[in-house]
Coordinates of all heavy atoms in Angstrom, one line a residue:
M469 N 75.0 -50.6 -39.9 CA 73.7 -49.9 -39.7 C 73.4 -49.3 -41.1 O 74.2 -48.8 -41.8 CB 73.9 -48.8 -38.7 CG 72.6 -48.1 -38.4 SD 72.5 -47.0 -37.0 CE 74.1 -46.3 -36.7
S470 N 72.1 -49.4 -41.5 CA 71.7 -48.9 -42.8 C 71.3 -47.5 -42.7 O 70.8 -47.0 -41.6 CB 70.6 -49.8 -43.4 OG 69.5 -49.7 -42.6
T471 N 71.4 -46.7 -43.7 CA 71.0 -45.3 -43.7 C 69.8 -45.2 -44.6 O 69.7 -45.9 -45.6 CB 72.1 -44.4 -44.1 OG1 72.5 -44.7 -45.5 CG2 73.3 -44.4 -43.2
V472 N 68.9 -44.3 -44.3 CA 67.8 -44.0 -45.1 C 68.0 -42.8 -45.9 O 68.4 -41.7 -45.4 CB 66.5 -43.8 -44.2 CG1 65.3 -43.4 -45.1 CG2 66.2 -45.0 -43.4
E473 N 68.0 -42.9 -47.2 CA 68.2 -41.8 -48.1 C 66.8 -41.3 -48.6 O 66.0 -42.0 -48.9 CB 69.0 -42.2 -49.3 CG 70.4 -42.6 -48.9 CD 71.3 -42.9 -50.2 OE1 70.9 -42.3 -51.2 OE2 72.2 -43.6 -50.0
R474 N 66.7 -40.0 -48.5 CA 65.5 -39.4 -49.0 C 65.6 -39.2 -50.5 O 66.6 -38.7 -51.0 CB 65.2 -38.0 -48.3 CG 64.9 -38.2 -46.9 CD 64.4 -36.9 -46.3 NE 64.2 -37.0 -44.9 CZ 63.1 -37.2 -44.3 NH1 62.0 -37.4 -45.1 NH2 63.0 -37.3 -43.0
L475 N 64.5 -39.6 -51.2 CA 64.4 -39.3 -52.6 C 64.1 -37.9 -52.9 O 63.3 -37.3 -52.1 CB 63.4 -40.2 -53.3 CG 63.7 -41.7 -53.2 CD1 62.5 -42.5 -53.7 CD2 64.9 -42.1 -53.9
P476 N 64.6 -37.3 -53.9 CA 64.3 -35.9 -54.1 C 62.8 -35.8 -54.5 O 62.3 -36.5 -55.3 CB 65.2 -35.5 -55.3 CG 65.7 -36.7 -55.9 CD 65.6 -37.8 -54.8
R477 N 62.1 -34.9 -53.9 CA 60.7 -34.7 -54.2 C 60.5 -33.8 -55.4 O 61.2 -32.8 -55.5 CB 59.9 -34.1 -53.0 CG 59.9 -35.0 -51.8 CD 59.0 -34.5 -50.7 NE 57.7 -34.6 -51.2 CZ 56.7 -33.9 -50.6 NH1 56.9 -33.1 -49.6 NH2 55.4 -34.0 -51.1
G478 N 59.6 -34.1 -56.2 CA 59.3 -33.3 -57.3 C 58.6 -32.0 -56.8 O 58.0 -32.0 -55.8
D479 N 58.7 -31.0 -57.6 CA 58.0 -29.8 -57.3 C 56.5 -30.0 -57.3 O 56.0 -30.5 -58.3 CB 58.4 -28.7 -58.2 CG 57.9 -27.3 -57.8 OD1 57.4 -27.2 -56.7 OD2 57.9 -26.4 -58.7
D480 N 55.8 -29.8 -56.2 CA 54.4 -30.0 -56.2 C 53.6 -28.8 -56.7 O 52.3 -28.8 -56.5 CB 53.9 -30.6 -54.9 CG 53.9 -29.5 -53.8 OD1 54.6 -28.5 -54.0 OD2 53.3 -29.7 -52.8
T481 N 54.2 -27.8 -57.3 CA 53.5 -26.6 -57.7 C 52.8 -26.9 -59.1 O 53.4 -27.4 -60.0 CB 54.4 -25.4 -57.9 OG1 55.0 -25.2 -56.6 CG2 53.7 -24.2 -58.4
L482 N 51.5 -26.7 -59.1 CA 50.8 -26.8 -60.4 C 50.3 -25.4 -60.7 O 50.4 -24.4 -59.9 CB 49.6 -27.7 -60.1 CG 50.0 -29.1 -59.8 CD1 48.7 -29.9 -59.4 CD2 50.7 -29.8 -60.9
W483 N 49.6 -25.2 -61.8 CA 49.0 -24.0 -62.3 C 47.5 -24.1 -62.4 O 47.0 -25.0 -63.0 CB 49.7 -23.5 -63.6 CG 51.1 -23.2 -63.4 CD1 52.1 -24.0 -63.6 CD2 51.6 -21.9 -63.0 NE1 53.3 -23.4 -63.3 CE2 53.0 -22.1 -62.9 CE3 51.1 -20.7 -62.6 CZ2 53.9 -21.0 -62.5 CZ3 51.9 -19.7 -62.3 CH2 53.3 -19.9 -62.2
A484 N 46.8 -23.2 -61.7 CA 45.4 -23.3 -61.6 C 44.8 -22.1 -62.4 O 45.3 -21.0 -62.4 CB 44.9 -23.2 -60.2
V485 N 43.7 -22.4 -63.2 CA 42.9 -21.4 -63.8 C 41.8 -21.1 -62.8 O 41.1 -22.0 -62.4 CB 42.3 -21.9 -65.1 CG1 41.4 -20.8 -65.7 CG2 43.5 -22.2 -66.1
V486 N 41.7 -19.9 -62.3 CA 40.8 -19.5 -61.2 C 39.7 -18.7 -61.8 O 39.9 -17.7 -62.5 CB 41.6 -18.8 -60.1 CG1 40.6 -18.4 -59.0 CG2 42.7 -19.6 -59.6
A487 N 38.5 -19.1 -61.5 CA 37.3 -18.3 -61.9 C 36.9 -17.5 -60.7 O 36.6 -18.0 -59.6 CB 36.2 -19.3 -62.3
T488 N 36.8 -16.2 -60.9 CA 36.3 -15.3 -59.8 C 34.9 -14.7 -60.2 O 34.8 -14.1 -61.3 CB 37.3 -14.1 -59.6 OG1 38.6 -14.7 -59.3 CG2 36.8 -13.2 -58.5
V489 N 33.9 -15.0 -59.4 CA 32.6 -14.5 -59.6 C 32.2 -13.8 -58.3 O 32.2 -14.4 -57.3 CB 31.6 -15.6 -59.9 CG1 30.2 -15.0 -60.1 CG2 32.0 -16.4 -61.2
A490 N 31.9 -12.4 -58.5 CA 31.7 -11.6 -57.3 C 32.9 -11.7 -56.4 O 34.0 -11.3 -56.8 CB 30.4 -12.0 -56.6
K491 N 32.7 -12.2 -55.2 CA 33.9 -12.3 -54.3 C 34.3 -13.8 -54.0 O 35.0 -14.1 -53.1 CB 33.5 -11.7 -52.9 CG 33.3 -10.2 -53.0 CD 33.0 -9.6 -51.7 CE 32.8 -8.1 -51.9 NZ 32.5 -7.4 -50.6
T492 N 33.8 -14.7 -54.9 CA 34.1 -16.1 -54.8 C 35.1 -16.6 -55.8 O 34.9 -16.3 -57.0 CB 32.8 -16.9 -54.9 OG1 31.8 -16.4 -54.0 CG2 33.0 -18.4 -54.7
D493 N 36.1 -17.2 -55.4 CA 37.1 -17.8 -56.2 C 36.9 -19.3 -56.3 O 36.7 -20.0 -55.2 CB 38.6 -17.6 -55.7 CG 38.9 -16.1 -55.8 OD1 38.3 -15.4 -56.6 OD2 39.9 -15.7 -55.1
R494 N 36.9 -19.9 -57.5 CA 36.8 -21.3 -57.6 C 37.9 -21.8 -58.6 O 38.1 -21.1 -59.6 CB 35.4 -21.7 -58.2 CG 34.3 -21.4 -57.2 CD 32.9 -21.7 -57.7 NE 32.8 -23.1 -57.9 CZ 31.7 -23.6 -58.5 NH1 30.7 -22.8 -58.9 NH2 31.6 -24.9 -58.7
I495 N 38.4 -22.9 -58.4 CA 39.4 -23.5 -59.3 C 38.7 -24.1 -60.5 O 37.9 -25.0 -60.3 CB 40.3 -24.6 -58.6 CG1 41.0 -24.0 -57.4 CG2 41.3 -25.2 -59.6 CD1 41.7 -25.0 -56.5
A496 N 39.0 -23.6 -61.6 CA 38.3 -24.0 -62.9 C 39.0 -25.3 -63.4 O 38.4 -26.2 -63.9 CB 38.2 -22.9 -63.9
E497 N 40.3 -25.2 -63.5 CA 41.1 -26.3 -64.0 C 42.5 -26.2 -63.5 O 42.9 -25.2 -63.0 CB 41.1 -26.2 -65.6 CG 41.8 -27.4 -66.3 CD 41.1 -28.7 -66.0 OE1 40.1 -29.0 -66.7 OE2 41.5 -29.4 -65.1
V498 N 43.2 -27.3 -63.5 CA 44.6 -27.4 -63.0 C 45.5 -28.0 -64.1 O 45.1 -29.0 -64.7 CB 44.7 -28.3 -61.7 CG1 46.1 -28.4 -61.2 CG2 43.8 -27.7 -60.6
Y499 N 46.7 -27.4 -64.2 CA 47.6 -27.9 -65.3 C 49.0 -28.0 -64.7 O 49.4 -27.3 -63.7 CB 47.7 -26.9 -66.4 CG 46.4 -26.8 -67.2 CD1 45.4 -25.9 -66.9 CD2 46.2 -27.8 -68.2 CE1 44.2 -25.9 -67.6 CE2 45.0 -27.7 -68.9 CZ 44.0 -26.8 -68.6 OH 42.9 -26.8 -69.3
R500 N 49.8 -28.8 -65.3 CA 51.2 -28.9 -64.8 C 52.1 -27.8 -65.3 O 53.1 -27.5 -64.6 CB 51.8 -30.2 -65.4 CG 51.3 -31.5 -64.7 CD 52.1 -32.7 -65.2 NE 51.5 -33.9 -64.6 CZ 51.9 -34.4 -63.5 NH1 52.9 -33.8 -62.8 NH2 51.4 -35.5 -63.0
T501 N 51.8 -27.2 -66.4 CA 52.6 -26.1 -66.9 C 51.8 -24.8 -67.0 O 50.6 -24.8 -67.2 CB 53.1 -26.4 -68.4 OG1 52.0 -26.4 -69.3 CG2 53.9 -27.7 -68.4
R502 N 52.5 -23.7 -66.8 CA 51.9 -22.4 -66.9 C 51.4 -22.1 -68.3 O 50.3 -21.5 -68.4 CB 52.9 -21.3 -66.5 CG 52.4 -19.9 -66.3 CD 53.4 -19.0 -65.7 NE 52.8 -17.7 -65.5 CZ 52.8 -16.7 -66.3 NH1 53.4 -16.8 -67.5 NH2 52.2 -15.5 -66.0
A503 N 52.1 -22.5 -69.3 CA 51.7 -22.3 -70.7 C 50.3 -22.9 -70.9 O 49.4 -22.3 -71.6 CB 52.7 -22.8 -71.7
A504 N 50.1 -24.1 -70.5 CA 48.8 -24.8 -70.7 C 47.7 -24.1 -69.9 O 46.6 -23.9 -70.4 CB 48.9 -26.2 -70.2
A505 N 48.0 -23.6 -68.7 CA 47.0 -22.8 -67.9 C 46.7 -21.5 -68.6 O 45.5 -21.1 -68.7 CB 47.5 -22.6 -66.5
L506 N 47.7 -20.8 -69.1 CA 47.4 -19.6 -69.8 C 46.6 -19.8 -71.1 O 45.7 -19.0 -71.4 CB 48.7 -18.9 -70.2 CG 49.5 -18.3 -69.0 CD1 50.9 -17.8 -69.5 CD2 48.7 -17.1 -68.4
A507 N 46.8 -20.9 -71.8 CA 46.0 -21.2 -73.0 C 44.6 -21.5 -72.6 O 43.7 -21.0 -73.3 CB 46.6 -22.4 -73.7
D508 N 44.4 -22.2 -71.6 CA 43.0 -22.5 -71.1 C 42.3 -21.2 -70.6 O 41.1 -21.0 -70.9 CB 43.0 -23.6 -70.0 CG 41.6 -23.9 -69.6 OD1 40.8 -24.5 -70.4 OD2 41.2 -23.6 -68.4
C509 N 43.0 -20.4 -69.9 CA 42.5 -19.1 -69.4 C 42.1 -18.3 -70.6 O 41.0 -17.7 -70.6 CB 43.5 -18.4 -68.5 SG 43.0 -16.9 -67.8
A510 N 42.9 -18.2 -71.6 CA 42.6 -17.4 -72.8 C 41.3 -17.9 -73.5 O 40.4 -17.1 -73.9 CB 43.7 -17.4 -73.8
W511 N 41.2 -19.2 -73.6 CA 40.0 -19.8 -74.1 C 38.7 -19.5 -73.3 O 37.7 -19.1 -73.8 CB 40.1 -21.3 -74.3 CG 38.9 -22.0 -74.8 CD1 38.4 -22.1 -76.0 CD2 37.9 -22.6 -74.0 NE1 37.2 -22.7 -76.1 CE2 36.9 -23.1 -74.8 CE3 37.7 -22.9 -72.6 CZ2 35.7 -23.7 -74.4 CZ3 36.6 -23.5 -72.2 CH2 35.6 -24.0 -73.1
R512 N 38.8 -19.5 -72.0 CA 37.7 -19.2 -71.1 C 37.3 -17.8 -71.2 O 36.1 -17.4 -71.2 CB 38.0 -19.6 -69.7 CG 38.1 -21.1 -69.5 CD 38.6 -21.5 -68.1 NE 38.7 -22.9 -67.9 CZ 37.8 -23.7 -67.6 NH1 36.6 -23.3 -67.2 NH2 38.0 -25.0 -67.5
V513 N 38.3 -16.9 -71.3 CA 38.0 -15.5 -71.5 C 37.3 -15.2 -72.8 O 36.3 -14.4 -72.8 CB 39.3 -14.6 -71.4 CG1 39.1 -13.2 -71.8 CG2 39.9 -14.7 -69.9
Q514 N 37.7 -15.9 -73.8 CA 37.0 -15.8 -75.1 C 35.6 -16.2 -75.0 O 34.7 -15.6 -75.6 CB 37.8 -16.6 -76.2 CG 37.3 -16.4 -77.6 CD 36.2 -17.5 -77.9 OE1 36.3 -18.6 -77.4 NE2 35.3 -17.1 -78.8
Q515 N 35.3 -17.3 -74.3 CA 34.0 -17.8 -74.2 C 33.1 -16.8 -73.4 O 32.0 -16.6 -73.7 CB 34.0 -19.2 -73.4 CG 34.6 -20.3 -74.2 CD 33.8 -20.6 -75.4 OE1 32.7 -20.9 -75.4 NE2 34.5 -20.5 -76.6
V516 N 33.7 -16.2 -72.4 CA 33.0 -15.2 -71.6 C 32.6 -14.0 -72.5 O 31.5 -13.5 -72.4 CB 33.7 -14.8 -70.3 CG1 33.1 -13.5 -69.7 CG2 33.8 -15.9 -69.3
R517 N 33.6 -13.5 -73.3 CA 33.3 -12.4 -74.1 C 32.2 -12.7 -75.1 O 31.4 -11.8 -75.4 CB 34.6 -12.0 -74.9 CG 35.5 -11.2 -74.1 CD 36.6 -10.5 -75.0 NE 37.7 -10.2 -74.2 CZ 39.0 -10.6 -74.4 NH1 39.3 -11.4 -75.4 NH2 39.9 -10.3 -73.6
A518 N 32.2 -13.9 -75.6 CA 31.2 -14.3 -76.6 C 29.8 -14.3 -76.0 O 28.8 -14.0 -76.7 CB 31.5 -15.7 -77.2
Y519 N 29.6 -14.6 -74.7 CA 28.3 -14.6 -74.1 C 28.1 -13.5 -73.1 O 27.1 -13.6 -72.3 CB 28.2 -16.0 -73.4 CG 28.0 -17.1 -74.5 CD1 29.1 -17.9 -74.8 CD2 26.8 -17.4 -75.1 CE1 29.0 -18.9 -75.8 CE2 26.7 -18.4 -76.0 CZ 27.8 -19.1 -76.4 OH 27.7 -20.1 -77.3
E520 N 29.0 -12.6 -73.0 CA 28.9 -11.5 -72.0 C 27.6 -10.8 -72.0 O 26.9 -10.5 -71.0 CB 30.1 -10.6 -72.1 CG 30.2 -9.6 -71.0 CD 31.5 -8.8 -71.1 OE1 32.1 -8.7 -72.1 OE2 31.8 -8.2 -70.0
H521 N 27.1 -10.4 -73.2 CA 25.9 -9.7 -73.4 C 24.7 -10.5 -72.8 O 23.8 -10.0 -72.2 CB 25.7 -9.2 -74.8 CG 25.4 -10.4 -75.8 ND1 26.5 -11.2 -76.2 CD2 24.3 -10.9 -76.3 CE1 26.0 -12.1 -77.0 NE2 24.6 -12.0 -77.1
L522 N 24.7 -11.8 -73.1 CA 23.7 -12.7 -72.6 C 23.7 -12.7 -71.1 O 22.6 -12.7 -70.4 CB 23.8 -14.1 -73.2 CG 22.8 -15.1 -72.8 CD1 21.4 -14.7 -73.3 CD2 23.2 -16.4 -73.3
L523 N 24.8 -12.9 -70.5 CA 25.0 -12.9 -69.0 C 24.5 -11.7 -68.4 O 23.7 -11.7 -67.4 CB 26.4 -13.2 -68.6 CG 27.0 -14.6 -69.0 CD1 28.5 -14.6 -68.8 CD2 26.3 -15.7 -68.3
I524 N 24.8 -10.5 -69.0 CA 24.4 -9.2 -68.4 C 22.9 -9.1 -68.5 O 22.2 -8.6 -67.6 CB 25.2 -8.1 -69.1 CG1 26.7 -8.1 -68.7 CG2 24.6 -6.7 -68.7 CD1 27.5 -7.2 -69.5
R525 N 22.4 -9.5 -69.7 CA 20.9 -9.3 -69.9 C 20.1 -10.2 -68.9 O 19.1 -9.9 -68.5 CB 20.6 -9.7 -71.3 CG 19.2 -9.2 -71.8 CD 19.0 -9.3 -73.2 NE 19.2 -10.6 -73.7 CZ 19.8 -10.9 -74.9 NH1 20.2 -10.0 -75.6 NH2 19.9 -12.2 -75.3
Q526 N 20.7 -11.4 -68.6 CA 20.0 -12.3 -67.6 C 20.4 -12.0 -66.2 O 20.1 -12.7 -65.3 CB 20.3 -13.7 -68.0 CG 19.7 -14.2 -69.3 CD 20.0 -15.7 -69.5 OE1 20.7 -16.3 -68.8 NE2 19.3 -16.2 -70.6
R527 N 21.2 -10.9 -66.0 CA 21.6 -10.5 -64.7 C 22.4 -11.6 -63.9 O 22.3 -11.7 -62.7 CB 20.4 -10.0 -63.8 CG 19.7 -8.8 -64.5 CD 18.6 -8.4 -63.7 NE 17.9 -7.4 -64.5 CZ 17.3 -6.4 -64.0 NH1 17.3 -6.2 -62.7 NH2 16.7 -5.5 -64.8
K528 N 23.2 -12.3 -64.7 CA 24.1 -13.3 -64.2 C 25.5 -12.6 -64.0 O 25.9 -11.7 -64.8 CB 24.3 -14.4 -65.1 CG 23.1 -15.2 -65.3 CD 22.8 -16.1 -64.2 CE 21.6 -17.0 -64.5 NZ 21.3 -17.9 -63.4
P529 N 26.3 -12.9 -63.0 CA 27.6 -12.4 -62.8 C 28.5 -12.8 -63.9 O 28.4 -14.0 -64.4 CB 28.0 -12.9 -61.4 CG 27.2 -14.1 -61.2 CD 25.9 -13.9 -61.9
V530 N 29.4 -12.0 -64.3 CA 30.3 -12.3 -65.4 C 31.6 -12.8 -64.7 O 32.2 -12.0 -63.9 CB 30.6 -11.1 -66.3 CG1 31.7 -11.4 -67.4 CG2 29.3 -10.6 -66.9
P531 N 32.1 -14.0 -65.0 CA 33.3 -14.5 -64.3 C 34.5 -13.8 -64.9 O 34.6 -13.5 -66.1 CB 33.3 -16.0 -64.6 CG 32.4 -16.1 -65.9 CD 31.4 -15.0 -65.8
H532 N 35.5 -13.7 -64.0 CA 36.8 -13.2 -64.4 C 37.8 -14.4 -64.2 O 37.8 -15.1 -63.2 CB 37.3 -12.1 -63.6 CG 38.7 -11.7 -63.8 ND1 39.1 -11.0 -64.9 CD2 39.7 -11.9 -63.0 CE1 40.4 -10.8 -64.7 NE2 40.8 -11.3 -63.6
Y533 N 38.6 -14.7 -65.2 CA 39.6 -15.8 -65.1 C 41.0 -15.3 -65.0 O 41.4 -14.3 -65.6 CB 39.5 -16.7 -66.4 CG 38.2 -17.5 -66.4 CD1 37.1 -17.1 -67.1 CD2 38.1 -18.7 -65.6 CE1 35.9 -17.9 -67.1 CE2 36.9 -19.4 -65.6 CZ 35.9 -19.0 -66.4 OH 34.7 -19.7 -66.4
S534 N 41.8 -16.0 -64.2 CA 43.2 -15.7 -64.0 C 43.9 -17.0 -63.8 O 43.3 -18.1 -63.6 CB 43.4 -14.8 -62.8 OG 42.9 -15.4 -61.6
V535 N 45.3 -16.9 -63.8 CA 46.1 -18.1 -63.6 C 47.0 -17.8 -62.3 O 47.5 -16.7 -62.1 CB 47.0 -18.3 -64.8 CG1 48.1 -19.4 -64.5 CG2 46.2 -18.6 -66.0
A536 N 47.1 -18.8 -61.5 CA 47.8 -18.7 -60.2 C 48.5 -20.0 -59.9 O 47.9 -21.1 -60.2 CB 46.9 -18.3 -59.1
P537 N 49.7 -20.0 -59.3 CA 50.3 -21.2 -58.9 C 49.5 -21.8 -57.7 O 48.9 -21.1 -56.9 CB 51.7 -20.8 -58.4 CG 51.6 -19.4 -58.2 CD 50.5 -18.8 -59.0
I538 N 49.5 -23.1 -57.6 CA 48.8 -23.8 -56.5 C 49.5 -25.1 -56.2 O 50.1 -25.7 -57.1 CB 47.3 -24.1 -56.9 CG1 46.5 -24.6 -55.8 CG2 47.3 -25.1 -58.1 CD1 45.0 -24.7 -56.0
R539 N 49.5 -25.4 -54.9 CA 50.1 -26.7 -54.5 C 49.1 -27.8 -54.6 O 47.9 -27.6 -54.4 CB 50.6 -26.6 -53.1 CG 51.8 -25.7 -52.9 CD 52.4 -25.7 -51.5 NE 51.3 -25.7 -50.5 CZ 51.1 -24.8 -49.6 NH1 51.9 -23.7 -49.6 NH2 50.1 -24.9 -48.8
R540 N 49.5 -29.0 -54.9 CA 48.6 -30.1 -55.0 C 47.8 -30.3 -53.7 O 46.6 -30.6 -53.7 CB 49.4 -31.4 -55.3 CG 48.5 -32.6 -55.6 CD 49.4 -33.8 -56.0 NE 50.3 -33.5 -57.1 CZ 50.0 -33.6 -58.4 NH1 48.8 -34.0 -58.7 NH2 51.0 -33.4 -59.3
S541 N 48.4 -30.0 -52.6 CA 47.7 -30.2 -51.3 C 46.6 -29.1 -51.1 O 45.8 -29.3 -50.2 CB 48.7 -30.1 -50.2 OG 49.4 -28.9 -50.1
D542 N 46.6 -28.0 -51.9 CA 45.6 -27.0 -51.7 C 44.3 -27.2 -52.5 O 43.4 -26.5 -52.4 CB 46.2 -25.6 -52.1 CG 47.2 -25.2 -51.1 OD1 47.2 -25.6 -49.9 OD2 48.1 -24.3 -51.5
I543 N 44.4 -28.3 -53.4 CA 43.2 -28.6 -54.2 C 42.2 -29.4 -53.3 O 42.6 -30.3 -52.7 CB 43.6 -29.4 -55.4 CG1 44.6 -28.6 -56.3 CG2 42.4 -29.8 -56.2 CD1 45.2 -29.5 -57.4
P544 N 40.9 -28.9 -53.3 CA 39.9 -29.6 -52.4 C 39.8 -31.1 -52.9 O 39.9 -31.4 -54.1 CB 38.6 -28.8 -52.7 CG 39.1 -27.5 -53.2 CD 40.4 -27.7 -53.9
K545 N 39.5 -32.0 -51.9 CA 39.5 -33.4 -52.2 C 38.4 -33.7 -53.3 O 38.6 -34.6 -54.1 CB 39.2 -34.2 -50.9 CG 40.4 -34.1 -50.0 CD 40.4 -35.3 -49.1 CE 41.5 -35.2 -48.1 NZ 42.8 -35.4 -48.6
R546 N 37.3 -33.1 -53.2 CA 36.2 -33.5 -54.2 C 36.1 -32.5 -55.3 O 35.0 -32.3 -55.9 CB 34.8 -33.5 -53.4 CG 34.8 -34.6 -52.4 CD 33.4 -34.7 -51.8 NE 33.5 -35.6 -50.7 CZ 32.8 -36.8 -50.8 NH1 32.1 -37.1 -51.8 NH2 32.9 -37.6 -49.8
W547 N 37.2 -31.8 -55.6 CA 37.2 -30.9 -56.7 C 37.0 -31.5 -58.1 O 37.4 -32.6 -58.3 CB 38.6 -30.1 -56.7 CG 38.7 -29.3 -57.9 CD1 38.2 -28.0 -58.0 CD2 39.4 -29.6 -59.1 NE1 38.6 -27.5 -59.3 CE2 39.3 -28.4 -60.0 CE3 40.1 -30.7 -59.6 CZ2 39.8 -28.4 -61.2 CZ3 40.6 -30.6 -60.9 CH2 40.5 -29.5 -61.7
R548 N 36.2 -30.8 -58.9 CA 36.0 -31.2 -60.3 C 36.2 -30.0 -61.2 O 35.9 -28.9 -60.8 CB 34.5 -31.7 -60.5 CG 34.2 -32.9 -59.6 CD 34.6 -34.2 -60.3 NE 34.1 -35.4 -59.6 CZ 34.9 -36.1 -58.9 NH1 36.2 -35.9 -58.8 NH2 34.5 -37.2 -58.3
P549 N 36.7 -30.2 -62.4 CA 36.9 -29.1 -63.3 C 35.5 -28.4 -63.6 O 34.5 -29.0 -63.6 CB 37.4 -29.7 -64.6 CG 38.0 -31.0 -64.1 CD 37.2 -31.5 -63.0
L550 N 35.6 -27.1 -63.8 CA 34.4 -26.3 -64.1 C 34.3 -26.0 -65.6 O 35.3 -25.7 -66.3 CB 34.5 -24.9 -63.4 CG 34.5 -24.9 -61.9 CD1 34.7 -23.5 -61.5 CD2 33.1 -25.4 -61.4
P551 N 33.1 -26.1 -66.2 CA 32.9 -25.6 -67.6 C 33.1 -24.1 -67.6 O 33.0 -23.4 -66.6 CB 31.5 -26.0 -67.9 CG 30.8 -26.3 -66.6 CD 31.9 -26.6 -65.6
A552 N 33.4 -23.6 -68.8 CA 33.7 -22.2 -68.9 C 32.5 -21.3 -68.4 O 32.7 -20.3 -67.7 CB 33.9 -21.8 -70.4
L553 N 31.3 -21.6 -68.7 CA 30.1 -20.8 -68.3 C 29.1 -21.6 -67.5 O 28.2 -21.0 -66.8 CB 29.5 -20.1 -69.5 CG 30.4 -19.2 -70.2 CD1 29.7 -18.7 -71.5 CD2 30.7 -18.0 -69.4
G554 N 29.0 -22.9 -67.7 CA 28.0 -23.7 -67.1 C 27.8 -23.6 -65.6 O 26.7 -23.8 -65.2
F555 N 28.8 -23.4 -64.9 CA 28.7 -23.3 -63.4 C 27.8 -22.1 -63.0 O 27.3 -22.1 -61.9 CB 30.0 -23.3 -62.7 CG 30.8 -22.0 -62.8 CD1 30.7 -21.1 -61.8 CD2 31.6 -21.8 -63.9 CE1 31.4 -19.9 -61.9 CE2 32.3 -20.6 -64.0 CZ 32.2 -19.7 -63.0
L556 N 27.6 -21.1 -63.9 CA 26.8 -20.0 -63.5 C 25.3 -20.4 -63.4 O 24.6 -19.7 -62.7 CB 26.9 -18.9 -64.6 CG 28.3 -18.3 -64.7 CD1 28.4 -17.3 -65.8 CD2 28.7 -17.5 -63.4
L557 N 25.0 -21.5 -64.0 CA 23.6 -21.9 -64.0 C 23.2 -22.7 -62.7 O 22.1 -23.0 -62.4 CB 23.2 -22.7 -65.2 CG 23.4 -22.0 -66.5 CD1 23.2 -22.9 -67.7 CD2 22.6 -20.7 -66.6
S558 N 24.3 -23.2 -62.0 CA 24.1 -24.1 -60.9 C 23.5 -23.2 -59.7 O 23.8 -22.0 -59.6 CB 25.3 -24.8 -60.5 OG 26.3 -23.9 -60.0
T559 N 22.8 -23.9 -58.8 CA 22.3 -23.2 -57.7 C 23.2 -23.3 -56.5 O 23.0 -22.6 -55.5 CB 20.9 -23.8 -57.3 OG1 21.1 -25.2 -57.0 CG2 19.9 -23.5 -58.4
A560 N 24.2 -24.1 -56.6 CA 25.2 -24.3 -55.4 C 26.1 -23.1 -55.3 O 26.4 -22.4 -56.2 CB 25.9 -25.6 -55.6

């Protein structure tokens, strides 16, 4: 009788850069390493700081970025990466 051996599964934890606007969280980007996610998060925060006065003057919400672990299965099927500020202009 043959036996079935299970292959070790890789860790499916990824690192997400999360954009929070008002009470809505959206996944901005996903990375395999925390360091890459932190670097992207820092870049996005810098972009927000550069345009913060413009966003406030136009009465647009200012996004807050953070990094959080996420499982591959938690990423929405039709997910697409978000630009640092461009999604604020969308009507959706």
Side-chain angles (χ1 to χ4, degrees):
M469 186 167 30
S470 63
T471 60
V472 176
E473 292 184 27
R474 293 191 183 262
L475 298 174
R477 293 187 71 196
D479 186 17
D480 70 343
T481 301
L482 300 170
W483 292 92
V485 178
V486 179
T488 303
V489 179
K491 294 181 180 180
T492 304
D493 292 339
R494 294 177 66 185
I495 300 170
E497 187 61 85
V498 177
Y499 293 95
R500 289 187 181 269
T501 65
R502 186 171 187 267
L506 288 171
D508 182 67
C509 184
W511 176 80
R512 290 172 185 272
V513 168
Q514 184 270 330
Q515 294 296 302
V516 168
R517 279 195 202 123
Y519 291 96
E520 188 171 20
H521 66 283
L522 179 65
L523 294 171
I524 292 170
R525 197 167 57 220
Q526 292 185 351
R527 298 179 189 214
K528 297 282 186 183
V530 178
H532 170 74
Y533 287 99
S534 59
V535 172
I538 189 170
R539 292 186 317 245
R540 189 176 305 275
S541 61
D542 291 337
I543 299 171
K545 291 202 184 291
R546 295 184 186 250
W547 173 81
R548 298 277 186 254
L550 295 175
L553 298 171
F555 74 95
L556 294 174
L557 302 175
S558 68
T559 57

